[in-house]
Amino acid sequence: MKALTANRLSDGEVVFWKNGVWVERLTDAEIFADDAGAGEAEVAARAQPTVVIDPYLIDLVDSAGFWAPVSYRERIRALGPTNHELHGKQAEGGGAVEALRQAHGAARSSGRVNLIRRK
């Protein structure tokens, strides 16, 4: 499973793709089961250069009944600032936040690896 993420240009907020618009919560994001649908969404997202910067796909894993990024970096981005539990998206609490905190996975997302892979 995959989700599409980027940073919003107006304020730098981490956002996720949902049916042609950007939402702030991973729990609201559109989840892609196949590469074709994910690729189409990525192309559409890249057509919004004045809204977001650098949209890319992230790999997801099931965690306590919610989807969580495989990559530790992406879990931090989905939680917001991690300097204090009362800051960012993690301050809302709930099952989705706990699932993100307890998820485990690889060190990198395949989307980012493809950006830095040497040929």
Side-chain angles (χ1 to χ4, degrees):
M1 300 303 221
K2 295 184 182 293
L4 184 60
T5 187
N7 287 85
R8 190 168 44 211
L9 283 172
S10 62
D11 60 2
E13 183 72 30
V14 175
V15 291
F16 302 91
W17 183 263
K18 180 178 184 178
N19 301 321
V21 297
W22 295 99
V23 295
E24 293 185 0
R25 306 287 177 262
L26 177 60
T27 55
D28 297 332
E30 183 175 352
I31 307 301
F32 301 99
D34 63 355
D35 289 338
E40 289 173 13
E42 189 173 11
V43 168
R46 290 190 182 280
Q48 298 180 3
T50 60
V51 179
V52 296
I53 188 165
D54 192 26
Y56 61 95
L57 294 166
I58 58 172
D59 297 316
L60 303 175
V61 63
D62 182 79
S63 175
F66 294 93
W67 291 109
V70 171
S71 163
Y72 181 68
R73 175 187 188 270
E74 297 304 332
R75 289 194 300 269
I76 289 174
R77 290 180 77 239
L79 284 171
T82 57
N83 58 338
H84 193 280
E85 291 181 356
L86 297 178
H87 294 169
K89 298 170 186 171
Q90 63 186 330
E92 297 171 5
V97 170
E98 286 307 312
L100 283 168
R101 286 184 180 152
Q102 303 202 12
H104 297 283
R108 294 188 179 140
S109 168
S110 62
R112 290 306 249 184
V113 171
N114 290 337
L115 290 174
I116 61 172
R117 185 172 288 152
R118 294 182 185 165
K119 295 183 179 186

